[in-house]
PDB file of all heavy atoms in Angstrom:
ATOM      1  N   SER A  56     106.750 115.893  92.923  1.00 61.00           N
ATOM      2  CA  SER A  56     105.622 116.380  92.146  1.00 61.00           C
ATOM      3  C   SER A  56     104.648 117.217  92.962  1.00 61.00           C
ATOM      4  O   SER A  56     104.047 118.156  92.442  1.00 61.00           O
ATOM      5  CB  SER A  56     104.866 115.193  91.538  1.00 61.00           C
ATOM      6  OG  SER A  56     104.383 114.338  92.575  1.00 61.00           O
ATOM      7  N   SER A  57     104.481 116.870  94.234  1.00 59.00           N
ATOM      8  CA  SER A  57     103.475 117.556  95.027  1.00 59.00           C
ATOM      9  C   SER A  57     104.058 118.638  95.931  1.00 59.00           C
ATOM     10  O   SER A  57     103.331 119.339  96.607  1.00 59.00           O
ATOM     11  CB  SER A  57     102.706 116.532  95.881  1.00 59.00           C
ATOM     12  OG  SER A  57     103.595 115.833  96.746  1.00 59.00           O
ATOM     13  N   GLY A  58     105.373 118.765  95.998  1.00 68.00           N
ATOM     14  CA  GLY A  58     105.960 119.769  96.841  1.00 68.00           C
ATOM     15  C   GLY A  58     107.448 119.535  97.017  1.00 68.00           C
ATOM     16  O   GLY A  58     108.000 118.535  96.605  1.00 68.00           O
ATOM     17  N   SER A  59     108.103 120.533  97.610  1.00 78.00           N
ATOM     18  CA  SER A  59     109.522 120.419  97.925  1.00 78.00           C
ATOM     19  C   SER A  59     109.713 120.185  99.406  1.00 78.00           C
ATOM     20  O   SER A  59     109.008 120.791 100.237  1.00 78.00           O
ATOM     21  CB  SER A  59     110.255 121.701  97.502  1.00 78.00           C
ATOM     22  OG  SER A  59     110.155 121.895  96.108  1.00 78.00           O
ATOM     23  N   ARG A  60     110.639 119.318  99.757  1.00 82.00           N
ATOM     24  CA  ARG A  60     110.843 118.937 101.155  1.00 82.00           C
ATOM     25  C   ARG A  60     112.317 119.012 101.490  1.00 82.00           C
ATOM     26  O   ARG A  60     113.171 118.735 100.621  1.00 82.00           O
ATOM     27  CB  ARG A  60     110.331 117.544 101.421  1.00 82.00           C
ATOM     28  CG  ARG A  60     108.868 117.338 100.977  1.00 82.00           C
ATOM     29  CD  ARG A  60     108.556 115.899 100.706  1.00 82.00           C
ATOM     30  NE  ARG A  60     107.280 115.741 100.013  1.00 82.00           N
ATOM     31  CZ  ARG A  60     107.122 115.777  98.693  1.00 82.00           C
ATOM     32  NH1 ARG A  60     108.184 115.926  97.923  1.00 82.00           N
ATOM     33  NH2 ARG A  60     105.942 115.651  98.165  1.00 82.00           N
ATOM     34  N   VAL A  61     112.616 119.355 102.713  1.00 85.00           N
ATOM     35  CA  VAL A  61     114.002 119.378 103.188  1.00 85.00           C
ATOM     36  C   VAL A  61     114.125 118.422 104.359  1.00 85.00           C
ATOM     37  O   VAL A  61     113.340 118.497 105.310  1.00 85.00           O
ATOM     38  CB  VAL A  61     114.414 120.802 103.615  1.00 85.00           C
ATOM     39  CG1 VAL A  61     115.877 120.790 104.065  1.00 85.00           C
ATOM     40  CG2 VAL A  61     114.206 121.800 102.496  1.00 85.00           C
ATOM     41  N   HIS A  62     115.064 117.516 104.288  1.00 87.00           N
ATOM     42  CA  HIS A  62     115.328 116.567 105.379  1.00 87.00           C
ATOM     43  C   HIS A  62     116.763 116.814 105.900  1.00 87.00           C
ATOM     44  O   HIS A  62     117.678 116.982 105.117  1.00 87.00           O
ATOM     45  CB  HIS A  62     115.308 115.131 104.863  1.00 87.00           C
ATOM     46  CG  HIS A  62     114.009 114.744 104.216  1.00 87.00           C
ATOM     47  ND1 HIS A  62     113.037 113.946 104.827  1.00 87.00           N
ATOM     48  CD2 HIS A  62     113.489 115.040 102.984  1.00 87.00           C
ATOM     49  CE1 HIS A  62     112.026 113.774 104.027  1.00 87.00           C
ATOM     50  NE2 HIS A  62     112.257 114.421 102.870  1.00 87.00           N
ATOM     51  N   VAL A  63     116.891 116.862 107.206  1.00 88.00           N
ATOM     52  CA  VAL A  63     118.211 117.057 107.819  1.00 88.00           C
ATOM     53  C   VAL A  63     118.459 115.904 108.791  1.00 88.00           C
ATOM     54  O   VAL A  63     117.627 115.606 109.645  1.00 88.00           O
ATOM     55  CB  VAL A  63     118.304 118.395 108.576  1.00 88.00           C
ATOM     56  CG1 VAL A  63     119.706 118.592 109.128  1.00 88.00           C
ATOM     57  CG2 VAL A  63     117.921 119.533 107.671  1.00 88.00           C
ATOM     58  N   TYR A  64     119.626 115.248 108.639  1.00 89.00           N
ATOM     59  CA  TYR A  64     120.011 114.148 109.505  1.00 89.00           C
ATOM     60  C   TYR A  64     121.393 114.427 110.106  1.00 89.00           C
ATOM     61  O   TYR A  64     122.205 115.110 109.524  1.00 89.00           O
ATOM     62  CB  TYR A  64     120.083 112.833 108.726  1.00 89.00           C
ATOM     63  CG  TYR A  64     118.863 112.524 107.893  1.00 89.00           C
ATOM     64  CD1 TYR A  64     118.834 112.788 106.539  1.00 89.00           C
ATOM     65  CD2 TYR A  64     117.728 111.936 108.463  1.00 89.00           C
ATOM     66  CE1 TYR A  64     117.704 112.488 105.764  1.00 89.00           C
ATOM     67  CE2 TYR A  64     116.608 111.655 107.718  1.00 89.00           C
ATOM     68  CZ  TYR A  64     116.608 111.928 106.358  1.00 89.00           C
ATOM     69  OH  TYR A  64     115.502 111.645 105.596  1.00 89.00           O
ATOM     70  N   CYS A  65     121.633 113.807 111.237  1.00 90.00           N
ATOM     71  CA  CYS A  65     122.941 113.907 111.892  1.00 90.00           C
ATOM     72  C   CYS A  65     123.449 112.500 112.182  1.00 90.00           C
ATOM     73  O   CYS A  65     122.735 111.715 112.797  1.00 90.00           O
ATOM     74  CB  CYS A  65     122.827 114.748 113.168  1.00 90.00           C
ATOM     75  SG  CYS A  65     124.381 114.928 114.053  1.00 90.00           S
ATOM     76  N   PHE A  66     124.671 112.199 111.724  1.00 89.00           N
ATOM     77  CA  PHE A  66     125.282 110.880 111.977  1.00 89.00           C
ATOM     78  C   PHE A  66     126.485 111.020 112.856  1.00 89.00           C
ATOM     79  O   PHE A  66     127.274 111.983 112.732  1.00 89.00           O
ATOM     80  CB  PHE A  66     125.746 110.243 110.637  1.00 89.00           C
ATOM     81  CG  PHE A  66     124.623 109.996 109.666  1.00 89.00           C
ATOM     82  CD1 PHE A  66     124.400 110.853 108.609  1.00 89.00           C
ATOM     83  CD2 PHE A  66     123.795 108.883 109.789  1.00 89.00           C
ATOM     84  CE1 PHE A  66     123.375 110.608 107.688  1.00 89.00           C
ATOM     85  CE2 PHE A  66     122.788 108.642 108.901  1.00 89.00           C
ATOM     86  CZ  PHE A  66     122.566 109.507 107.827  1.00 89.00           C
ATOM     87  N   ASP A  67     126.676 110.051 113.789  1.00 88.00           N
ATOM     88  CA  ASP A  67     127.902 110.033 114.566  1.00 88.00           C
ATOM     89  C   ASP A  67     128.968 109.217 113.825  1.00 88.00           C
ATOM     90  O   ASP A  67     128.757 108.802 112.676  1.00 88.00           O
ATOM     91  CB  ASP A  67     127.661 109.511 115.990  1.00 88.00           C
ATOM     92  CG  ASP A  67     127.213 108.045 116.009  1.00 88.00           C
ATOM     93  OD1 ASP A  67     127.355 107.346 114.972  1.00 88.00           O
ATOM     94  OD2 ASP A  67     126.736 107.605 117.071  1.00 88.00           O
ATOM     95  N   GLY A  68     130.083 108.982 114.465  1.00 85.00           N
ATOM     96  CA  GLY A  68     131.176 108.272 113.813  1.00 85.00           C
ATOM     97  C   GLY A  68     130.861 106.841 113.476  1.00 85.00           C
ATOM     98  O   GLY A  68     131.530 106.229 112.627  1.00 85.00           O
ATOM     99  N   ASN A  69     129.827 106.257 114.122  1.00 84.00           N
ATOM    100  CA  ASN A  69     129.397 104.882 113.813  1.00 84.00           C
ATOM    101  C   ASN A  69     128.251 104.836 112.820  1.00 84.00           C
ATOM    102  O   ASN A  69     127.632 103.777 112.622  1.00 84.00           O
ATOM    103  CB  ASN A  69     128.982 104.170 115.112  1.00 84.00           C
ATOM    104  CG  ASN A  69     130.146 104.009 116.088  1.00 84.00           C
ATOM    105  OD1 ASN A  69     131.255 103.674 115.671  1.00 84.00           O
ATOM    106  ND2 ASN A  69     129.882 104.224 117.357  1.00 84.00           N
ATOM    107  N   LEU A  70     127.919 105.972 112.249  1.00 85.00           N
ATOM    108  CA  LEU A  70     126.815 106.101 111.305  1.00 85.00           C
ATOM    109  C   LEU A  70     125.473 105.839 111.942  1.00 85.00           C
ATOM    110  O   LEU A  70     124.521 105.404 111.280  1.00 85.00           O
ATOM    111  CB  LEU A  70     127.001 105.188 110.098  1.00 85.00           C
ATOM    112  CG  LEU A  70     128.162 105.594 109.153  1.00 85.00           C
ATOM    113  CD1 LEU A  70     128.265 104.613 107.983  1.00 85.00           C
ATOM    114  CD2 LEU A  70     127.983 107.010 108.635  1.00 85.00           C
ATOM    115  N   ASP A  71     125.364 106.092 113.255  1.00 89.00           N
ATOM    116  CA  ASP A  71     124.070 106.028 113.926  1.00 89.00           C
ATOM    117  C   ASP A  71     123.494 107.438 113.904  1.00 89.00           C
ATOM    118  O   ASP A  71     124.189 108.442 114.011  1.00 89.00           O
ATOM    119  CB  ASP A  71     124.251 105.572 115.382  1.00 89.00           C
ATOM    120  CG  ASP A  71     124.663 104.117 115.444  1.00 89.00           C
ATOM    121  OD1 ASP A  71     124.193 103.324 114.592  1.00 89.00           O
ATOM    122  OD2 ASP A  71     125.418 103.763 116.389  1.00 89.00           O
ATOM    123  N   LEU A  72     122.156 107.484 113.801  1.00 91.00           N
ATOM    124  CA  LEU A  72     121.477 108.782 113.807  1.00 91.00           C
ATOM    125  C   LEU A  72     121.553 109.421 115.179  1.00 91.00           C
ATOM    126  O   LEU A  72     121.357 108.731 116.191  1.00 91.00           O
ATOM    127  CB  LEU A  72     120.009 108.648 113.409  1.00 91.00           C
ATOM    128  CG  LEU A  72     119.717 108.504 111.899  1.00 91.00           C
ATOM    129  CD1 LEU A  72     118.263 108.220 111.689  1.00 91.00           C
ATOM    130  CD2 LEU A  72     120.108 109.782 111.145  1.00 91.00           C
ATOM    131  N   VAL A  73     121.867 110.683 115.232  1.00 89.00           N
ATOM    132  CA  VAL A  73     121.973 111.447 116.465  1.00 89.00           C
ATOM    133  C   VAL A  73     120.859 112.492 116.489  1.00 89.00           C
ATOM    134  O   VAL A  73     120.620 113.148 115.470  1.00 89.00           O
ATOM    135  CB  VAL A  73     123.342 112.132 116.592  1.00 89.00           C
ATOM    136  CG1 VAL A  73     123.434 112.973 117.859  1.00 89.00           C
ATOM    137  CG2 VAL A  73     124.466 111.102 116.551  1.00 89.00           C
ATOM    138  N   PRO A  74     120.158 112.638 117.620  1.00 89.00           N
ATOM    139  CA  PRO A  74     119.079 113.639 117.648  1.00 89.00           C
ATOM    140  C   PRO A  74     119.604 115.039 117.374  1.00 89.00           C
ATOM    141  O   PRO A  74     120.689 115.422 117.764  1.00 89.00           O
ATOM    142  CB  PRO A  74     118.555 113.540 119.123  1.00 89.00           C
ATOM    143  CG  PRO A  74     118.939 112.146 119.548  1.00 89.00           C
ATOM    144  CD  PRO A  74     120.237 111.886 118.860  1.00 89.00           C
ATOM    145  N   ILE A  75     118.786 115.800 116.639  1.00 86.00           N
ATOM    146  CA  ILE A  75     119.043 117.208 116.434  1.00 86.00           C
ATOM    147  C   ILE A  75     118.040 117.959 117.291  1.00 86.00           C
ATOM    148  O   ILE A  75     116.868 118.092 116.924  1.00 86.00           O
ATOM    149  CB  ILE A  75     118.882 117.604 114.929  1.00 86.00           C
ATOM    150  CG1 ILE A  75     119.778 116.743 114.068  1.00 86.00           C
ATOM    151  CG2 ILE A  75     119.226 119.064 114.719  1.00 86.00           C
ATOM    152  CD1 ILE A  75     119.567 116.914 112.577  1.00 86.00           C
ATOM    153  N   GLY A  76     118.452 118.391 118.441  1.00 83.00           N
ATOM    154  CA  GLY A  76     117.521 118.899 119.423  1.00 83.00           C
ATOM    155  C   GLY A  76     116.722 117.753 119.960  1.00 83.00           C
ATOM    156  O   GLY A  76     117.262 116.769 120.498  1.00 83.00           O
ATOM    157  N   LYS A  77     115.398 117.776 119.765  1.00 82.00           N
ATOM    158  CA  LYS A  77     114.526 116.700 120.216  1.00 82.00           C
ATOM    159  C   LYS A  77     114.122 115.751 119.114  1.00 82.00           C
ATOM    160  O   LYS A  77     113.409 114.765 119.353  1.00 82.00           O
ATOM    161  CB  LYS A  77     113.265 117.296 120.865  1.00 82.00           C
ATOM    162  CG  LYS A  77     113.520 118.096 122.128  1.00 82.00           C
ATOM    163  CD  LYS A  77     112.216 118.593 122.723  1.00 82.00           C
ATOM    164  CE  LYS A  77     112.448 119.410 123.985  1.00 82.00           C
ATOM    165  NZ  LYS A  77     111.196 119.894 124.599  1.00 82.00           N
ATOM    166  N   GLU A  78     114.576 116.015 117.896  1.00 86.00           N
ATOM    167  CA  GLU A  78     114.129 115.231 116.733  1.00 86.00           C
ATOM    168  C   GLU A  78     115.281 114.406 116.149  1.00 86.00           C
ATOM    169  O   GLU A  78     116.428 114.831 116.139  1.00 86.00           O
ATOM    170  CB  GLU A  78     113.580 116.155 115.651  1.00 86.00           C
ATOM    171  CG  GLU A  78     112.444 117.060 116.107  1.00 86.00           C
ATOM    172  CD  GLU A  78     111.187 116.266 116.453  1.00 86.00           C
ATOM    173  OE1 GLU A  78     111.010 115.177 115.929  1.00 86.00           O
ATOM    174  OE2 GLU A  78     110.372 116.786 117.263  1.00 86.00           O
ATOM    175  N   ILE A  79     114.924 113.219 115.655  1.00 87.00           N
ATOM    176  CA  ILE A  79     115.895 112.401 114.903  1.00 87.00           C
ATOM    177  C   ILE A  79     116.030 112.890 113.492  1.00 87.00           C
ATOM    178  O   ILE A  79     117.077 112.891 112.890  1.00 87.00           O
ATOM    179  CB  ILE A  79     115.440 110.925 114.923  1.00 87.00           C
ATOM    180  CG1 ILE A  79     115.762 110.309 116.287  1.00 87.00           C
ATOM    181  CG2 ILE A  79     116.118 110.125 113.808  1.00 87.00           C
ATOM    182  CD1 ILE A  79     117.247 110.136 116.530  1.00 87.00           C
ATOM    183  N   GLU A  80     114.930 113.360 112.930  1.00 86.00           N
ATOM    184  CA  GLU A  80     114.918 113.879 111.553  1.00 86.00           C
ATOM    185  C   GLU A  80     114.206 115.220 111.513  1.00 86.00           C
ATOM    186  O   GLU A  80     113.056 115.323 111.960  1.00 86.00           O
ATOM    187  CB  GLU A  80     114.181 112.883 110.627  1.00 86.00           C
ATOM    188  CG  GLU A  80     113.974 113.371 109.211  1.00 86.00           C
ATOM    189  CD  GLU A  80     113.111 112.416 108.375  1.00 86.00           C
ATOM    190  OE1 GLU A  80     112.205 111.804 108.950  1.00 86.00           O
ATOM    191  OE2 GLU A  80     113.346 112.313 107.178  1.00 86.00           O
ATOM    192  N   LEU A  81     114.895 116.238 111.040  1.00 82.00           N
ATOM    193  CA  LEU A  81     114.220 117.514 110.811  1.00 82.00           C
ATOM    194  C   LEU A  81     113.618 117.485 109.416  1.00 82.00           C
ATOM    195  O   LEU A  81     114.288 117.167 108.440  1.00 82.00           O
ATOM    196  CB  LEU A  81     115.230 118.658 110.935  1.00 82.00           C
ATOM    197  CG  LEU A  81     115.882 118.857 112.296  1.00 82.00           C
ATOM    198  CD1 LEU A  81     116.805 120.100 112.269  1.00 82.00           C
ATOM    199  CD2 LEU A  81     114.843 118.996 113.407  1.00 82.00           C
TER     200      LEU A  81
END
Side-chain angles (χ1 to χ4, degrees):
S56 60
S57 59
S59 297
R60 307 156 192 88
V61 182
H62 303 255
V63 183
Y64 309 99
C65 180
F66 298 101
D67 64 15
N69 295 319
L70 291 181
D71 291 325
L72 280 174
V73 177
I75 305 173
K77 296 181 180 181
E78 304 293 335
I79 283 291
E80 174 186 33
L81 296 184

